[in-house]
Amino acid sequence: MPDNIENTVGLQFCLWKENNKVNSVPKGNTYPLYLNKRNEFFVDESCVGKKSKNPKHTVEQARWAFIYDFFYKNLEKAKQEDITENLWGPLSGGKEKIAKYGLGLKYKQGSSIVFNPQSYSYYFGFKQRVELFSENPGTGFYFYIVPVDKPKISYAYFTKSEEVKRYGESVTLQIMLHAYNLDEKNKYKAKLYLLEETSAKGLTKTGDFEDNNLWKEPKVYNISNNVRADDDWNSYINTTFPIEIEWKKNENVKKNFTVVLEIYRCWEEPGMIYGKNSKEERVNYKNYADDPTSDLIEYDPKVLGLKDIDDKNSISSRFIVSEELMDHYLKRIEQEKNNMIQYIGDIEYTKREFDPCGYSKITVKDEDDKDREAFVIFDETVTVGTMDKTKESFNIITGDSRKNISITLDKLTTQDTFCQGLLLDEGQKHSEKRMSSK
């Protein structure tokens, strides 16, 4: 109970009943809500400031709403007219539409609210801000809840999973784990395997994962206890690795690759004579070939900060590799480049060209060295000497301090000519361009 409740009006705190045990909830505190427990938050007249004129009415008209904490922080900074989407939790019963923070009717009115983590569409481990108010959110009492389930392996997310990759490139993976880091009694570690998707299907045993693992050994990650962010209590495995040519196995086919994750409980036992022996037992696993992550169906990118390159129901727990080798790919791209428009530096110029989108002179200068002359690497207006020196080098001595090097484009003589190239929009004159030149 707040110390100054005698001199206040309105709702000052609330009460929390967890499995019939009642506790006072101070403003701003955070409470984990476990899946197997019934959590009821309520107010009575003892929660109302003593200078309130009608405590009974205040209790009966109490309004409850909840939202992801990081969403709320963004709403606080936003202008009211810029809030176009309702990000509040799925409560109902509001009788009066509330404009502030885009709340609308997504609030409950009355003296109590029951949170059952199974019945709400929020993600376990992410902090929610609960607003308790009489008129508008952000003006009264608030506290935080974090829904907590039993420990489990959540999503696997390969960045740009729908974009076909090639041998020699690298891929980035994130796997989310829930509640293993919140277990204060046990220590855990994770073992990560990489398999061809077709080979991984149906596998459940560690020996099968080891036999089909494309890495020589599984990647091992220790899961730290009680290490968590302020608004996200989950833990994550993040890794980047190259796509090895050996995985092609001389097979000229496109392949899908996926991962398997095992969780082990770890402990130590006294040795027979001295020292300690490390022990471990597998307590969970997830084979993403059989249980894939669909990043736009099962998970909300706005909440988890995930991004996809398309709007399809794509699978993010696997990545696709082309049958084309990287060197073949690069040769093909180089051939396509050769068929495109060539610019200064692509070919050596020996005579003046007419290009209404082209500059006739390019100069490089070390602005920090006043005694050093500028180097003209290209000048098609010269009558004596070489006009194209783009294959020559302009040496720069580096050090601990920043160097100021300028590149000047000069002698654009077709200011009033309609653009016929690629620099400007069709029909726009060079004199109307927004880039500046010397």
Side-chain angles (χ1 to χ4, degrees):
M1 179 185 299
D3 296 334
N4 62 342
I5 194 169
E6 298 292 336
N7 299 316
T8 59
V9 296
L11 296 166
Q12 299 301 308
F13 68 99
C14 72
L15 299 169
W16 173 31
K17 182 188 291 186
E18 182 188 37
N19 289 357
N20 297 320
K21 182 180 179 182
V22 178
N23 294 290
S24 174
V25 177
K27 185 176 182 178
N29 274 22
T30 302
Y31 301 92
L33 304 188
Y34 293 94
L35 182 68
N36 59 347
K37 296 182 180 180
R38 186 177 187 275
N39 296 274
E40 180 182 7
F41 294 88
F42 65 96
V43 291
D44 56 24
E45 292 187 24
S46 69
C47 304
V48 181
K50 300 306 179 183
K51 289 195 173 183
S52 299
K53 293 181 179 180
N54 192 340
K56 182 180 179 181
H57 178 78
T58 301
V59 169
E60 293 173 347
Q61 298 301 310
R63 296 172 173 179
W64 307 78
F66 74 93
I67 187 173
Y68 286 102
D69 184 39
F70 49 85
F71 283 172
Y72 184 86
K73 292 174 182 176
N74 291 334
L75 290 178
E76 282 187 307
K77 301 174 184 176
K79 296 180 180 179
Q80 186 65 38
E81 60 268 23
D82 295 333
I83 300 174
T84 58
E85 187 175 2
N86 194 318
L87 302 173
W88 291 84
L91 293 180
S92 60
K95 300 176 182 178
E96 177 185 348
K97 194 171 184 179
I98 298 176
K100 188 174 181 181
Y101 298 154
L103 178 59
L105 296 174
K106 294 178 73 173
Y107 64 93
K108 183 182 183 300
Q109 190 163 318
S111 62
S112 67
I113 185 171
V114 175
F115 283 104
N116 181 352
Q118 281 186 310
S119 65
Y120 288 101
S121 59
Y122 45 39
Y123 295 122
F124 293 108
F126 287 89
K127 187 162 75 172
Q128 318 283 319
R129 179 178 172 122
V130 180
E131 285 284 319
L132 173 58
F133 56 98
S134 297
E135 295 184 3
N136 288 304
T139 59
F141 176 80
Y142 68 91
F143 60 95
Y144 301 102
I145 58 173
V146 180
V148 179
D149 195 1
K150 62 183 179 181
K152 63 181 180 180
I153 304 170
S154 190
Y155 68 77
Y157 183 83
F158 283 101
T159 303
K160 296 183 179 180
S161 61
E162 296 300 305
E163 186 177 90
V164 177
K165 298 170 176 58
R166 289 169 176 80
Y167 297 99
E169 292 186 69
S170 292
V171 290
T172 298
L173 168 68
Q174 180 181 90
I175 297 178
M176 187 177 84
L177 306 176
H178 174 68
Y180 288 105
N181 58 321
L182 305 180
D183 188 341
E184 297 180 355
K185 297 180 180 179
N186 298 295
K187 293 184 178 180
Y188 298 94
K189 68 180 179 181
K191 294 184 180 180
L192 181 66
Y193 305 85
L194 178 70
L195 295 83
E196 285 189 36
E197 191 174 54
T198 53
S199 302
K201 289 184 179 297
L203 301 184
T204 61
K205 297 180 179 179
T206 298
D208 293 330
F209 300 151
E210 292 174 339
D211 291 342
N212 290 275
N213 188 23
L214 294 171
W215 294 316
K216 293 180 180 179
E217 300 287 343
K219 295 181 181 291
V220 180
Y221 303 88
N222 292 318
I223 303 173
S224 301
N225 293 84
N226 286 321
V227 176
R228 60 200 184 202
D230 178 58
D231 55 9
D232 181 359
W233 288 16
N234 298 296
S235 59
Y236 297 86
I237 293 172
N238 294 289
T239 184
T240 299
F241 56 87
I243 305 172
E244 303 289 353
I245 185 62
E246 290 81 5
W247 304 344
K248 183 177 173 63
K249 299 178 181 178
N250 295 320
E251 298 169 351
N252 194 34
V253 293
K254 184 185 292 185
K255 292 187 177 185
N256 290 352
F257 297 91
T258 190
V259 288
V260 173
L261 191 75
E262 293 182 316
I263 302 294
Y264 287 82
R265 183 175 70 88
C266 309
W267 72 96
E268 290 184 338
E269 292 182 351
M272 292 292 294
I273 301 176
Y274 58 86
K276 295 181 178 181
N277 295 326
S278 297
K279 299 288 184 177
E280 65 180 33
E281 66 171 345
R282 194 178 82 169
V283 295
N284 197 6
Y285 80 94
K286 191 166 188 176
N287 183 343
Y288 287 96
D290 296 328
D291 189 8
T293 299
S294 179
D295 54 11
L296 296 183
I297 298 178
E298 297 174 12
Y299 300 94
D300 185 347
K302 294 193 298 292
V303 175
L304 303 175
L306 306 177
K307 295 181 180 179
D308 198 25
I309 61 172
D310 55 34
D311 294 323
K312 298 185 299 182
N313 297 331
S314 52
I315 304 300
S316 67
S317 54
R318 61 94 176 92
F319 63 94
I320 309 166
V321 181
S322 170
E323 67 275 18
E324 186 179 31
L325 294 176
M326 179 59 77
D327 60 339
H328 296 166
Y329 168 70
L330 293 176
K331 288 179 181 177
R332 178 168 59 80
I333 295 301
E334 186 64 26
Q335 183 60 45
E336 291 175 359
K337 280 180 58 180
N338 291 337
N339 295 331
M340 296 172 63
I341 296 176
Q342 294 174 321
Y343 290 93
I344 295 172
D346 289 341
I347 60 174
E348 185 174 354
Y349 284 73
T350 57
K351 62 189 178 89
R352 185 171 186 177
E353 304 282 346
F354 176 78
D355 182 357
C357 287
Y359 291 88
S360 297
K361 186 177 180 181
I362 304 174
T363 305
V364 181
K365 180 168 176 43
D366 184 346
E367 299 291 350
D368 296 329
D369 189 347
K370 302 303 180 183
D371 296 329
R372 186 178 183 183
E373 293 185 1
F375 178 49
V376 179
I377 62 173
F378 183 82
D379 188 353
E380 64 178 357
T381 64
V382 298
T383 56
V384 179
T386 304
M387 69 169 58
D388 186 353
K389 299 179 182 178
T390 53
K391 292 185 178 181
E392 297 184 24
S393 61
F394 181 76
N395 297 324
I396 301 171
I397 300 176
T398 60
D400 295 332
S401 59
R402 177 174 175 171
K403 302 282 289 187
N404 294 307
I405 308 299
S406 66
I407 301 176
T408 303
L409 306 180
D410 202 0
K411 297 186 179 179
L412 180 62
T413 58
T414 51
Q415 294 285 334
D416 293 319
T417 303
F418 285 107
C419 182
Q420 301 174 27
L422 301 176
L423 292 181
L424 303 178
D425 295 332
E426 183 178 356
Q428 186 177 359
K429 294 183 179 181
H430 289 272
S431 54
E432 300 169 343
K433 68 186 185 307
R434 292 195 174 99
M435 61 184 295
S436 60
S437 61
K438 291 184 180 179

